[in-house]
Amino acid sequence: MAITKRFKVTFEVTSVIDSESEKNLSETVLRIAQMVSKGEKVSNFKLGLLEAALSGGPDEAAAYCIRDGLRSIIKEAHDDLSFNEKKLMRFSPAIVRVTK
């Protein structure tokens, strides 16, 4: 007989972005905007980052990067499981929200 259990894991993450990283992020957004204006093809991540920066400024752009990074970390955690563990566990897509 098989046993199936469902878990919902909730925790908070706080991130502090220093001035240098914020400057680098702004420069990256500017480069992406220049690429888009020239008609160059950009990845979905870069396009999303540009949209976040245009709609919400540097704070939203930083939050976009952090949300994407957290989702990647969770996906990689599942990828790091052994073959047998992967058969036993499934992860639903991670939902990452900004609370403040």
Side-chain angles (χ1 to χ4, degrees):
M1 176 188 236
I3 299 172
T4 301
K5 293 290 185 188
R6 180 174 287 164
F7 300 89
K8 184 171 191 165
V9 180
T10 304
F11 60 94
E12 292 189 21
V13 175
T14 301
S15 177
V16 177
I17 299 164
D18 61 26
S19 298
E20 184 67 26
S21 296
E22 185 178 354
K23 180 181 174 217
N24 291 339
L25 182 61
S26 295
E27 291 170 356
T28 299
V29 169
L30 181 59
R31 280 194 305 276
I32 295 168
Q34 291 169 342
M35 291 169 66
V36 169
S37 70
K38 292 177 184 176
E40 296 179 30
K41 186 159 176 70
V42 296
S43 68
N44 287 337
F45 172 79
K46 288 180 181 178
L47 191 57
L49 177 59
L50 179 59
E51 289 173 3
L54 291 174
S55 65
D59 285 357
E60 187 61 31
Y64 181 85
C65 290
I66 293 166
R67 282 192 311 265
D68 184 73
L70 289 170
R71 282 189 208 103
S72 295
I73 289 168
I74 293 167
K75 184 178 182 312
E76 288 172 12
H78 184 261
D79 292 343
D80 288 344
L81 296 174
S82 71
F83 178 75
N84 288 332
E85 290 170 329
K86 284 181 187 178
K87 289 190 322 186
L88 299 174
M89 297 179 73
R90 292 180 303 178
F91 287 9
S92 64
I95 298 170
V96 181
R97 289 181 219 134
V98 178
T99 58
K100 182 177 178 187

